[in-house]
Amino acid sequence: ASRVLMAIGGALMWPAILGMTYELLPESRAALAGALILGVAGLGNAAGPLIGGALTDALSWRWIFFLNVPIAAFAIFVTAARVHLPREQAGEQRIDYAGIASLSAGLLLLLLAMDQSSEWGWGDPRVVGMLAASVVLVVSFGFIEPRMGPSALIPSDVARNVPFAAACLATLMMSAVFFATVLYVPQFLQKILDQSPLESGAGMLPMLGLFALMAFFSGRIYERVGAKATITAGAACLAVGPFLLSLIEEDAGYGSFVLGLAVTGTGVGLFYPSVTTAAVTALDPARSSLAGGLVYMFQIAGGALGLGLTTAIFSSASEGELESKVADEGSRVTEHQE
């Protein structure tokens, strides 16, 4: 229940933040808006693991969540006191319950199928049934949306906007890579290299620190070379960085991680602010919140799918390796007894 509430809060907050920031700054400084939002988010991402690791080592993991209460209270106070935007006088609109339900259920079944595939097997009727139902629900979402008109979760004119659709697709793909890296690198540092939570938090700084730094610079780069070059450079780094991490051996030290983490962080800092700005500016300024919400939806969906697929591959590979080692040890024990 707590995780659900956190998810709802994030889904409400992030699109509103994007919409407010892009609306408060002049249209000519749109790249600066993206750089500021993601740069500040990068600072939080860099500080979070360090603070969380220190609290976990010194007190308890529960303090990580207690600390959020005064931070959230301060954010609410500042927003209420300083952020004042005119309320949109929109006509009566319906909520796209059918679209929300079909897309959410389709993604949920897909994630559940990938999660259970390592235990049940990909050929299990339950896994096949969930995958088939997921495809049906996602396809049905495509038929539902045109019927909802302007109230659709993804209005038809927005879906036909090629630059916006390309930005969302790129966000989906790159988020699948980035989220998996954020999850599995700390796991490796703690479980393989035996680092403490604080040490693993500090170990993520080459990636998360450069994420924040490059995000702040991305606005200037975007204005100078354009969206295509900046997004392409970020995506390239997001491909190369995790590839370098994949080459690290089990007995390698932490130094082997630094280059891969640094390249990944550089890519994230260039990619996310630039692709967000490209998506928001591809639509009418009155739709900045809608654009931000959809980009965020594709970001979270990509992250969830990337984590689900990576975890399924990891679980299947590790279980196969474990079975092979057990079988090998069993044959050695049998030979010794004979």
Side-chain angles (χ1 to χ4, degrees), residues 272-303:
Y272 275 113
S274 304
V275 79
T276 302
T277 299
V280 171
T281 55
L283 301 183
D284 186 271
R287 284 180 150 176
S288 56
S289 291
L290 172 64
L294 291 176
V295 170
Y296 182 68
M297 182 181 77
F298 277 91
Q299 178 182 336
I300 297 302

Coordinates of all heavy atoms in Angstrom, one line a residue, residues 272-303:
Y272 N 18.3 12.7 -21.0 CA 17.0 13.0 -20.4 C 16.5 14.5 -20.5 O 15.4 14.7 -20.9 CB 16.9 12.5 -18.9 CG 16.6 11.0 -18.9 CD1 17.5 10.1 -18.4 CD2 15.3 10.6 -19.2 CE1 17.2 8.8 -18.3 CE2 15.0 9.2 -19.2 CZ 16.0 8.3 -18.7 OH 15.7 7.0 -18.6
P273 N 17.3 15.4 -20.1 CA 16.9 16.8 -20.3 C 16.6 17.2 -21.7 O 15.6 17.9 -22.0 CB 18.1 17.7 -19.8 CG 18.8 16.7 -18.9 CD 18.7 15.4 -19.5
S274 N 17.4 16.7 -22.7 CA 17.2 17.1 -24.1 C 16.0 16.4 -24.7 O 15.2 17.0 -25.4 CB 18.5 16.7 -24.9 OG 19.6 17.3 -24.3
V275 N 15.8 15.1 -24.4 CA 14.6 14.4 -24.9 C 13.3 14.9 -24.3 O 12.3 15.0 -25.0 CB 14.8 12.9 -24.8 CG1 14.4 12.4 -23.4 CG2 13.9 12.2 -25.8
T276 N 13.4 15.3 -23.1 CA 12.2 15.9 -22.4 C 11.8 17.3 -23.1 O 10.7 17.5 -23.4 CB 12.4 16.1 -20.9 OG1 12.7 14.8 -20.3 CG2 11.2 16.7 -20.2
T277 N 12.9 18.1 -23.3 CA 12.6 19.4 -23.9 C 12.1 19.2 -25.4 O 11.2 19.9 -25.8 CB 13.9 20.2 -23.9 OG1 14.3 20.5 -22.6 CG2 13.7 21.6 -24.7
A278 N 12.7 18.3 -26.1 CA 12.2 18.0 -27.5 C 10.8 17.6 -27.5 O 10.0 18.0 -28.4 CB 13.1 17.0 -28.1
A279 N 10.4 16.7 -26.5 CA 9.0 16.2 -26.5 C 8.1 17.4 -26.1 O 7.0 17.5 -26.7 CB 8.9 15.1 -25.5
V280 N 8.4 18.1 -25.1 CA 7.5 19.2 -24.6 C 7.3 20.3 -25.7 O 6.2 20.8 -26.0 CB 8.0 19.8 -23.3 CG1 7.2 21.1 -22.9 CG2 7.9 18.8 -22.2
T281 N 8.4 20.7 -26.4 CA 8.3 21.7 -27.4 C 7.7 21.2 -28.7 O 7.4 22.0 -29.6 CB 9.7 22.3 -27.6 OG1 10.6 21.3 -28.0 CG2 10.3 23.0 -26.4
A282 N 7.6 19.9 -28.8 CA 7.0 19.4 -30.1 C 5.4 19.6 -30.0 O 4.8 19.5 -31.1 CB 7.3 17.9 -30.2
L283 N 4.9 19.8 -28.8 CA 3.4 20.1 -28.7 C 3.2 21.5 -28.4 O 4.1 22.3 -28.1 CB 2.8 19.2 -27.6 CG 3.0 17.7 -27.7 CD1 2.3 17.0 -26.6 CD2 2.4 17.2 -29.1
D284 N 1.9 21.9 -28.5 CA 1.5 23.3 -28.2 C 1.9 23.6 -26.7 O 1.8 22.7 -25.9 CB 0.0 23.4 -28.4 CG -0.5 24.9 -28.2 OD1 -0.8 25.2 -27.0 OD2 -0.5 25.6 -29.2
P285 N 2.3 24.8 -26.4 CA 2.7 25.2 -25.0 C 1.6 24.9 -24.0 O 1.9 24.6 -22.9 CB 3.0 26.7 -25.1 CG 3.5 26.9 -26.6 CD 2.6 25.9 -27.4
A286 N 0.4 25.0 -24.4 CA -0.7 24.7 -23.5 C -0.8 23.2 -23.1 O -1.5 22.9 -22.1 CB -2.1 25.1 -24.2
R287 N 0.0 22.4 -23.8 CA 0.0 21.0 -23.5 C 1.3 20.5 -22.8 O 1.6 19.4 -22.9 CB -0.3 20.2 -24.8 CG -1.7 20.2 -25.2 CD -1.9 19.4 -26.5 NE -3.3 18.8 -26.5 CZ -3.7 18.1 -27.6 NH1 -2.9 17.9 -28.6 NH2 -4.9 17.6 -27.6
S288 N 2.0 21.4 -22.2 CA 3.3 21.1 -21.6 C 3.1 20.0 -20.5 O 3.9 19.1 -20.4 CB 4.0 22.3 -21.1 OG 3.1 23.0 -20.2
S289 N 2.1 20.2 -19.7 CA 1.8 19.2 -18.6 C 1.5 17.8 -19.2 O 1.9 16.8 -18.7 CB 0.7 19.6 -17.7 OG 1.2 20.8 -16.9
L290 N 0.7 17.8 -20.3 CA 0.3 16.5 -20.9 C 1.6 15.9 -21.5 O 1.8 14.7 -21.3 CB -0.7 16.8 -22.0 CG -1.0 15.6 -23.0 CD1 -1.6 14.4 -22.2 CD2 -1.9 16.0 -24.1
A291 N 2.4 16.7 -22.2 CA 3.7 16.2 -22.7 C 4.6 15.6 -21.7 O 5.1 14.5 -21.8 CB 4.4 17.3 -23.5
G292 N 4.7 16.4 -20.5 CA 5.5 15.9 -19.5 C 5.0 14.6 -18.9 O 5.8 13.7 -18.5
G293 N 3.7 14.5 -18.7 CA 3.1 13.3 -18.2 C 3.3 12.1 -19.0 O 3.6 11.0 -18.6
L294 N 3.2 12.3 -20.4 CA 3.4 11.2 -21.3 C 4.8 10.7 -21.3 O 5.2 9.5 -21.4 CB 2.9 11.5 -22.7 CG 1.4 11.7 -22.8 CD1 1.0 12.1 -24.2 CD2 0.6 10.4 -22.4
V295 N 5.8 11.7 -21.3 CA 7.2 11.4 -21.3 C 7.5 10.6 -20.0 O 8.3 9.6 -20.1 CB 8.1 12.6 -21.4 CG1 9.5 12.3 -21.2 CG2 7.9 13.2 -22.8
Y296 N 7.0 11.1 -18.9 CA 7.2 10.4 -17.7 C 6.6 9.0 -17.7 O 7.2 8.0 -17.2 CB 6.6 11.2 -16.5 CG 6.8 10.6 -15.1 CD1 8.1 10.5 -14.6 CD2 5.7 10.1 -14.4 CE1 8.3 10.0 -13.3 CE2 5.9 9.6 -13.1 CZ 7.2 9.5 -12.6 OH 7.4 9.0 -11.3
M297 N 5.4 8.8 -18.3 CA 4.8 7.5 -18.4 C 5.7 6.5 -19.2 O 5.9 5.4 -18.8 CB 3.4 7.6 -19.1 CG 2.7 6.3 -19.2 SD 1.1 6.4 -20.1 CE 1.7 6.6 -21.8
F298 N 6.3 7.0 -20.3 CA 7.1 6.2 -21.1 C 8.5 5.9 -20.4 O 9.0 4.8 -20.5 CB 7.4 6.8 -22.5 CG 6.3 6.6 -23.5 CD1 5.3 7.4 -23.6 CD2 6.4 5.4 -24.3 CE1 4.3 7.2 -24.5 CE2 5.4 5.2 -25.2 CZ 4.3 6.1 -25.3
Q299 N 8.9 6.8 -19.6 CA 10.1 6.6 -18.8 C 9.9 5.5 -17.8 O 10.8 4.6 -17.7 CB 10.5 7.9 -18.1 CG 11.8 7.8 -17.2 CD 12.1 9.1 -16.5 OE1 11.7 10.2 -17.0 NE2 12.8 9.0 -15.4
I300 N 8.8 5.6 -17.0 CA 8.6 4.6 -16.0 C 8.3 3.2 -16.6 O 8.7 2.2 -16.1 CB 7.4 5.1 -15.1 CG1 7.8 6.3 -14.4 CG2 7.1 4.0 -14.1 CD1 9.1 6.2 -13.5
A301 N 7.5 3.2 -17.7 CA 7.2 2.0 -18.4 C 8.4 1.3 -18.9 O 8.6 0.1 -18.8 CB 6.2 2.2 -19.5
G302 N 9.3 2.1 -19.5 CA 10.6 1.6 -20.0 C 11.4 1.0 -18.9 O 12.0 -0.1 -19.0
G303 N 11.5 1.8 -17.8 CA 12.3 1.3 -16.7 C 11.7 0.0 -16.1 O 12.5 -1.0 -15.8

